[in-house]
Amino acid sequence: CTEASAGYYVDSTGSASQTECPAGTYNPNSGSTSSSACLDTDVGYYSNSGSSAQTACAAGTYQPSTGQSSCIDASAGYFVPSTAATSQIGCAVGTYQPSTGQSSCLAADAGYWVAGSGAGNKDPCSIGTYQPSTGQTACLDADAGYYVPNTGSASQSACAAGTYQPSTGQASCTDASAGYYVATTAATSQTACSAGTYNPNTGSTSSSACLDADAGDFVANA
């Protein structure tokens, strides 16, 4: 007679066939006489029916229970970096993972942030804020003299000559008022025309925009 193969057993006399161990179990020995020879797979492992050995769960998957026929994909926002894992790991702050069954997480791109662990998505920086680095947990307010008009920005923009911005975290700059000018970029304030001059226009970029008072007139500057 032929011995039962590893992964199988024969529990009665006069048998014409062998019986395979069910999925979730394995039997490394030949010639087994009972279903008790089929061993439950360990945590972190699985098996198909008729298996002579258990198989380790691949990276990106895990199995917390014994006697299983398959492994579980890591959820979005989680990862499994090694084989034979019994649990998944949440992505750290500053990283995310939108897909299932992954072995690592992704650093948030410049212009984005991830504040909490186990995140499935990155968040864009809001207008008025920016983030030049990857893998960050927050965005930066635009400096005074600068602005950020769009979401997901990796940099701030300097206010152009003729405009200024005295506050942080702003989405735009302010035109110089009539009677004033702004000669430089990234200005935090506007400059008043000197006494005896005036400027009827907004957004002026030079002191030359300030005009001398006409003969017979005067300018009472503040």
Side-chain angles (χ1 to χ4, degrees):
C1 295
T2 303
E3 276 194 329
S5 305
Y8 293 77
Y9 64 94
V10 177
D11 59 1
S12 60
T13 59
S15 293
S17 62
Q18 57 184 347
T19 303
E20 63 185 10
C21 290
T25 69
Y26 69 103
N27 180 10
N29 303 310
S30 59
S32 297
T33 60
S34 170
S35 61
S36 62
C38 300
L39 308 173
D40 282 345
T41 56
D42 297 328
V43 292
Y45 291 79
Y46 73 101
S47 71
N48 299 314
S49 59
S51 294
S52 61
Q54 58 183 348
T55 303
C57 292
T61 69
Y62 69 105
Q63 181 49 258
S65 303
T66 60
Q68 301 301 304
S69 60
S70 63
C71 298
I72 302 168
D73 282 345
S75 306
Y78 291 77
F79 71 107
V80 178
S82 59
T83 61
T86 61
S87 62
Q88 58 183 347
I89 303 168
C91 292
V93 294
T95 70
Y96 71 106
Q97 180 49 259
S99 302
T100 60
Q102 301 302 302
S103 59
S104 63
C105 297
L106 308 171
D109 296 329
Y112 291 78
W113 60 290
V114 179
S117 60
N121 294 290
K122 57 187 177 181
D123 294 310
C125 293
S126 58
I127 58 173
T129 70
Y130 71 105
Q131 180 48 259
S133 302
T134 60
Q136 300 303 302
T137 61
C139 298
L140 307 173
D141 282 343
D143 296 327
Y146 291 78
Y147 70 105
V148 179
N150 302 313
T151 61
S153 293
S155 62
Q156 58 183 346
S157 300
C159 291
T163 70
Y164 69 105
Q165 180 48 258
S167 302
T168 60
Q170 300 303 303
S172 62
C173 299
T174 303
D175 284 344
S177 306
Y180 292 79
Y181 66 94
V182 178
T184 61
T185 61
T188 60
S189 62
Q190 56 185 346
T191 304
C193 290
S194 59
T197 67
Y198 71 103
N199 179 8
N201 302 311
T202 60
S204 297
T205 61
S206 169
S207 60
S208 63
C210 300
L211 308 173
D212 288 340
D214 297 331
D217 294 317
F218 71 96
V219 178
N221 298 78

